[in-house]
Amino acid sequence: MCDFRRDGWLKGWSELGADTIEKMRDTIPTMRKELDDPAKFKEIYQFTFGFAKADGQKSLALETAVAFWELLLREKFQHLDLWLQFVQENYGKSISKDTWNQFLEFIRASDENFSNHDTESAWPVLIDMFVEYAKEKMMTR
C-alpha cells in the first residue's frame, strides 16, 4: 500500500531529467499540468487504486478511498463533499476496483444536478444510490 521504493523513485525522476532537488521543483508544475489532460488523469486515477490498496486485498479501504478522492477529485467534481458524506454515512464498506473506475466515468458523464443519470445503465448500484441521495439533499438546500 502506497509503497515508494528508492530505486523506483530515483528511476522515475531520472527519466524526467530531474536529478537534483531544483530540477524536481521545476518539473512539478509540468506534471501538475498533465493532470488537465483527461486521458492522463484517467491513467493516474486508475493507477491510484492499485497503488493505494493494501497488499493482498482486492478492494480499497473506504478511509483510503476517501483520502485519495479528496486529493484527486477536489477540483473536478462539485459534489465531492456530498459523495464523501454519502459513502461514509451510508456505505461504510471497501470500494471495489469497478466502483473506483466507474466513479470517474460517472462524474465525467453527469450534469450538475444528475438529471441525465440513467439508472438503467450499467453503473454500480452504489452510484445509483448516491444519485437518489444527492437529488434528495439538493432539493432540501
Side-chain angles (χ1 to χ4, degrees):
M1 178 169 130
C2 303
D3 188 17
F4 284 100
R5 306 266 178 189
R6 186 177 193 279
D7 56 336
W9 172 266
L10 293 174
K11 181 180 181 218
W13 281 113
S14 177
E15 287 175 1
L16 293 170
D19 55 358
T20 67
I21 297 294
E22 293 76 26
K23 289 180 183 177
M24 289 176 187
R25 261 191 224 121
D26 292 344
T27 302
I28 289 174
T30 302
M31 294 169 69
R32 282 195 177 125
K33 186 80 174 136
E34 287 182 3
L35 294 175
D36 293 337
D37 173 17
K40 187 67 169 176
F41 182 82
K42 181 178 181 178
E43 179 184 335
I44 291 166
Y45 180 84
Q46 289 179 341
F47 168 83
T48 301
F49 182 88
F51 176 73
K53 73 177 180 59
D55 289 339
Q57 297 296 308
K58 291 185 178 188
S59 57
L60 191 58
L62 181 61
E63 179 178 291
T64 305
V66 166
F68 277 99
W69 279 324
E70 281 275 1
L71 181 68
L72 294 166
L73 301 177
R74 175 58 54 203
E75 303 299 319
K76 297 197 178 292
F77 183 46
Q78 71 180 41
H79 299 296
L80 182 62
D81 290 330
L82 201 53
W83 168 253
L84 298 179
Q85 179 183 351
F86 168 75
V87 295
Q88 290 173 312
E89 291 177 2
N90 300 295
Y91 189 61
K93 299 178 188 174
S94 58
I95 302 298
S96 71
K97 186 174 185 175
D98 181 56
T99 298
W100 176 266
N101 289 337
Q102 289 296 312
F103 185 64
L104 179 61
E105 298 308 317
F106 164 74
I107 66 174
R108 288 179 169 179
S110 296
D111 61 18
E112 67 182 33
N113 60 2
F114 309 113
S115 63
N116 65 339
H117 181 72
D118 180 6
T119 57
E120 299 301 315
S121 293
W123 297 112
V125 172
L126 183 62
I127 290 175
D128 290 333
M129 291 169 47
F130 167 68
V131 170
E132 289 179 32
Y133 173 88
K135 284 180 176 180
E136 287 177 20
K137 290 286 187 181
M138 292 187 307
M139 285 176 39
T140 61
R141 285 186 186 172

